[in-house]
Amino acid sequence: MTGPESTEEKTAAYNRGLDAGRIEQRLQGHDEHLRKINGSIDSMTQALRSLTDELRSDAASFSAEVTSDRRDTSERDKIAAARLEEAGIAQSQRTVRWTAWQRWFAVIGAIILVVNFVLGLYVAFNR
């Protein structure tokens, strides 16, 4: 019953089975490779998301710091202006204007003080 045709058919079928097995094996290899690629793409996507979130939070905190610094600077400028104004008012209140007779009295008193000092030195060293 086994003739040359059936042997050739069996050999052809065997070869087709080998080819199919090789193709199946190659496809499984490709599937594994695609799973690895998809896994690495997923991990890269997660890494990029976390990086994006970190950058957003850093940008938000930087923006908040800049806004805070600007607000602090403007508040410091307002406080400085108020203190300068207060200092000017205090200075003007502390500044005493002497009248003409008070100036003359101070000048005459200073002259008398210097003359007395010189006379005291003269008397002290001429004995």
Side-chain angles (χ1 to χ4, degrees):
M1 293 205 164
T2 326
E5 288 180 11
S6 64
T7 306
E8 288 178 15
E9 287 177 20
K10 286 181 181 179
T11 304
Y14 177 77
N15 288 335
R16 282 193 306 267
L18 283 177
D19 289 341
R22 286 186 199 130
I23 291 173
E24 178 79 26
Q25 187 178 12
R26 287 183 67 199
L27 286 177
Q28 284 178 355
H30 289 301
D31 288 345
E32 285 294 321
H33 183 67
L34 288 175
R35 277 191 212 106
K36 287 180 184 177
I37 290 174
N38 286 340
S40 64
I41 288 174
D42 289 341
S43 65
M44 286 299 292
T45 302
Q46 289 175 353
L48 284 174
R49 282 185 187 146
S50 66
L51 182 63
T52 302
D53 292 341
E54 185 178 344
L55 286 174
R56 283 183 182 150
S57 67
D58 288 348
S61 66
F62 179 72
S63 176
E65 287 177 17
V66 168
T67 303
S68 174
D69 287 345
R70 286 183 187 157
R71 184 182 65 236
D72 290 347
T73 302
S74 66
E75 288 176 5
R76 278 183 264 165
D77 290 344
K78 288 177 186 177
I79 291 170
R83 287 189 180 162
L84 283 174
E85 185 177 331
E86 290 171 1
I89 291 170
Q91 182 67 25
S92 67
Q93 289 175 349
R94 267 189 278 147
T95 304
V96 177
R97 301 280 181 203
W98 288 14
T99 60
W101 69 271
Q102 287 172 329
R103 288 185 201 142
W104 279 109
F105 186 71
V107 169
I108 291 171
I111 290 172
I112 291 172
L113 183 67
V114 169
V115 169
N116 280 335
F117 182 71
V118 170
L119 283 175
L121 289 175
Y122 179 74
V123 171
F125 288 115
N126 281 335
R127 283 188 183 196

